[in-house]
Amino acid sequence: MSQTMTTERGKRTEAKTYKNYIGGRWVESKSGKTFTSLNPAHKDQVLGVMQASNADDVNAAIEAAHKAFSGWRHTPAPARGEIVLKAALIIEQRKDELARLMTQEMGKVLKETGGDVQEAIDMGKYAAGLGRHPHGETVPSELRNKWCMTERVPLGVVACITPWNFPMAIPSWKIFPAVMAGNTVVFKPASDTPIIATKLVEILEEAGLPGGVLNLVTGSGADVGDVLVKDPRVQGISFTGSTAAGRHIAEIAGHNLKRLGLELGGKNAIVVLDDADLPLAVDGALWAAFGTSGQRCTAASRLIVDKKVEKDFTDQLQERAAKMKVGDGLQPDTDMGPVINEAALKKVHEYTEIGKKEHARLVHGGDFAGSEGWFYRPTIFADGRKDMRMAQEEIFGPSTLVMPVSNLEEALDVANSTQYGLSMSIYTNDLRKAFHAMEEMQSGIVYVNAPTIGAEIQLPFGGVKNTGNGHREAGTVALDEFTEWKTIYVDYSGRLQKAQIDTGE
Ligand code: NAD
């Protein structure tokens, strides 16, 4: 089904209508309302018309997930894994098509959207394998003729609420392990990338996931997300997004004693010491600051550089940034795509004004880059200090701040001076300094001689301080967020044995 729309600039355009997926059926919202998904590189291009869902839709989705739980939980884990694996293989087959669609809907360049899709493939294959892994352990008892063991059990209905910057990878990090563990899911994707989210759900349906196990409800955080997290039938919430929204959700979840995994904001830093391989550090800084137009939770928005090499580093970085081509991510010569929407563009520019007021020195960029889409030039400020707002607040755009320091201790003090702690990196050829930084950096992820971005799914991902609440996604702990431990004791002695009292003789 498609609809004819008139864009803000009066252009008439055809766009496909996408639906919610509830209880195994594609359905319209009971609200009768819709919203559009736009191409950030061509803001007049409407990619799709989406359901602006309301509380009734959320209720129906939770009900469907609740009903499906018993059947799904009793489906053997290896059989659940087969479906997840099949989904990963379908994604693999369609990787190029999905990457192109993602570039259109989210803006990042094709190579990067290919990486995003690849993360979903990797996570699918990894999670599928977990179906044949041990889901518990046996532990010796202190008593004779008594058997003790543990078992992972699913939580029940889980809400997966996701942002737009990794529109396939992040939902996959949540949905694949969640269903693998036997939970049923209500998925609320970000409103800037609902089409790619719909594709993921279509693929899981094609892979054979039974109706009700995964339900998709599109719409705003206030109308959909909030209702979802408040519902008592939802036992677990896995949320990735801003610290502000995460804190709000945490209050609700805390009050209702729900399981909650939070992956929130970052203000990541690269430390460059005077003995570092400078061109390597510049390469890393450029990629970490401007990859995904700086819209990665792990983007390096602070470059903490030893004064002895700071000028050289900043000059080289400026030279490289000046050569970057900003434009439509589908074009092969584009280095950096647009930011996600108008509000993001305004926010990035506001921080340019803030930086100037704070007397940071604008070295490059600081301005819009064309009006066809939401484009901003790669922006570099120098002379940063840790008390600046630019050095403390998450900008989430192509803007980075060079901060001069005198030695490693000062670099670590500056690096640790924000409320966040997701990813940090150090460039040095001194092994002792590298190990000292690894120990002292208050960060969930640390890189040595590599930029702050580049996580791999077989390792845990997440941050400390206000970046989260202690949970990790992916890696060997991928199932922790989505399971409870059940401890089981079997006494086959035929008599009452008292732990801690009887000796087991
Ligand atoms: P956001 O918080 O605005 O939205 C994230 C999701 O939450 C969206 O689906 C949104 O609709 C929903 N939401 C918003 N308010 C809600 C509420 N009150 N109740 C329930 N749901 C609600 O974040 P965003 O702009 O989409 O993403 C950018 C942020 O995400 C940045 O802060 C970035 O650092 C963070 N992020 C973190 C990680 C990580 O792993 N730590 C990864 C990617 C992005």
Side-chain angles (χ1 to χ4, degrees):
M1 197 170 79
S2 69
Q3 249 175 294
T4 308
M5 321 272 310
T6 308
T7 68
E8 272 178 32
R9 288 194 263 183
K11 227 164 108 183
R12 284 174 75 73
T13 178
E14 279 274 305
K16 184 174 170 190
T17 300
Y18 293 86
K19 296 182 180 173
N20 286 335
Y21 185 65
I22 297 177
R25 290 175 47 238
W26 294 94
V27 291
E28 284 176 9
S29 164
K30 299 203 171 76
S31 73
K33 293 184 186 153
T34 56
F35 66 98
T36 52
S37 176
L38 302 177
N39 181 340
H42 304 280
K43 50 197 189 194
D44 264 346
Q45 191 184 347
V46 180
L47 299 172
V49 177
M50 314 304 304
Q51 306 301 312
S53 308
N54 64 12
D56 291 339
D57 303 312
V58 179
N59 257 316
I62 296 172
E63 191 52 37
H66 191 61
K67 269 198 192 137
F69 178 56
S70 174
W72 184 242
R73 155 171 103 86
H74 290 113
T75 303
R80 297 196 296 254
E82 290 300 323
I83 295 173
V84 171
L85 178 64
K86 197 162 170 206
L89 297 178
I90 298 171
I91 298 171
E92 195 165 42
Q93 257 172 14
R94 293 173 51 186
K95 180 175 171 183
D96 291 346
E97 164 213 332
L98 292 165
R100 280 189 79 78
L101 173 63
M102 193 189 295
T103 291
Q104 288 174 297
E105 193 175 38
M106 186 271 158
K108 60 189 172 189
V109 297
L110 263 182
K111 258 196 192 137
E112 291 186 39
T113 50
D116 192 313
V117 177
Q118 187 60 46
E119 257 188 74
I121 298 165
D122 296 345
M123 192 65 211
K125 289 179 178 173
Y126 186 78
L130 295 177
R132 290 181 190 271
H133 269 227
H135 276 210
E137 52 189 4
T138 58
V139 181
S141 168
E142 61 190 45
L143 296 167
R144 284 168 189 261
N145 300 323
K146 191 176 172 190
W147 183 270
C148 311
M149 58 193 155
T150 60
E151 185 196 11
R152 275 189 194 280
V153 291
L155 304 177
V157 178
V158 169
C160 294
I161 304 177
T162 56
W164 44 265
N165 63 337
F166 278 85
M168 194 148 220
I170 292 178
S172 305
W173 283 24
K174 298 183 186 304
I175 293 169
F176 288 154
V179 298
M180 183 53 246
N183 300 284
T184 55
V185 170
V186 180
F187 172 29
K188 202 251 43 80
S191 297
D192 286 300
T193 50
I195 301 181
I196 201 77
T198 306
K199 294 290 162 190
L200 179 63
V201 175
E202 282 174 7
I203 287 168
L204 275 150
E205 181 189 34
E206 188 186 332
L209 200 68
V213 173
L214 172 62
N215 305 274
L216 170 75
V217 188
T218 56
S220 73
D223 293 335
V224 177
D226 216 44
V227 184
L228 192 51
V229 298
K230 282 179 181 155
D231 194 291
R233 290 166 294 179
V234 173
Q235 299 295 314
I237 302 160
S238 180
F239 174 84
T240 300
S242 59
T243 294
R247 188 169 273 135
H248 171 76
I249 291 170
E251 280 166 15
I252 299 168
H255 185 75
N256 295 291
L257 304 176
K258 285 179 198 242
R259 177 70 73 88
L260 172 67
L262 294 175
E263 298 291 345
L264 309 175
K267 189 73 194 172
N268 314 288
I270 293 181
V271 170
V272 181
L273 298 186
D274 58 345
D275 67 302
D277 175 338
L278 218 54
L280 183 70
V282 171
D283 256 354
L286 196 82
W287 172 226
F290 303 127
T292 319
S293 307
Q295 303 169 113
R296 289 189 184 216
C297 49
T298 51
S301 52
R302 297 180 299 150
L303 307 172
I304 302 167
V305 186
D306 191 296
K307 281 176 184 158
K308 293 191 252 343
V309 293
E310 184 223 346
K311 183 174 178 329
D312 205 1
F313 173 87
T314 310
D315 288 350
Q316 287 189 36
L317 189 70
Q318 190 279 330
E319 235 172 75
R320 297 281 302 277
K323 289 189 188 134
M324 286 181 80
K325 185 166 184 291
V326 181
D328 184 341
L330 286 184
Q331 299 306 320
D333 59 342
T334 298
D335 296 302
M336 192 177 88
V339 296
I340 189 69
N341 55 32
E342 189 160 4
L345 189 71
K346 280 189 179 152
K347 182 177 173 194
V348 177
H349 194 59
E350 258 171 45
Y351 275 95
T352 293
E353 298 303 328
I354 290 169
K356 286 179 187 166
K357 274 195 200 120
E358 291 180 316
H359 303 295
R361 179 167 52 90
L362 183 63
V363 173
H364 189 78
D367 215 343
F368 305 100
S371 58
E372 170 73 14
W374 291 298
F375 297 111
Y376 205 76
R377 294 174 64 203
T379 297
I380 304 166
F381 276 93
D383 300 346
R385 293 186 321 271
K386 68 177 181 183
D387 61 348
M388 289 175 170
R389 283 184 63 191
M390 280 210 84
Q392 291 296 326
E393 298 170 17
E394 188 182 41
I395 302 173
F396 221 57
S399 183
T400 194
L401 178 66
V402 180
M403 309 177 74
V405 289
S406 300
N407 52 42
L408 175 60
E409 286 316 315
E410 194 191 345
L412 293 172
D413 173 59
V414 172
N416 290 336
S417 69
T418 77
Q419 61 165 318
Y420 300 111
L422 182 54
S423 183
M424 285 189 199
S425 113
I426 181 162
Y427 282 83
T428 178
N429 282 316
D430 185 325
L431 194 66
R432 279 173 302 181
K433 287 181 177 168
F435 268 85
H436 183 60
M438 280 155 55
E439 216 166 86
E440 295 305 317
M441 284 177 158
Q442 295 165 4
S443 182
I445 306 165
V446 172
Y447 293 90
V448 177
N449 292 328
T452 49
I453 61 184
E456 301 180 30
I457 64 94
Q458 64 278 20
L459 287 102
F461 183 93
V464 301
K465 294 162 62 177
N466 288 351
T467 290
N469 64 344
H471 280 277
R472 292 290 180 270
E473 291 191 313
T476 47
V477 296
L479 296 185
D480 288 0
E481 195 180 344
F482 301 108
T483 51
E484 301 263 22
W485 284 111
K486 185 177 272 186
T487 303
I488 303 168
Y489 300 97
V490 182
D491 189 324
Y492 57 96
S493 67
R495 60 196 171 88
L496 174 64
Q497 299 197 89
K498 301 188 199 93
Q500 293 90 39
I501 295 169
D502 295 341
T503 59
E505 293 294 312

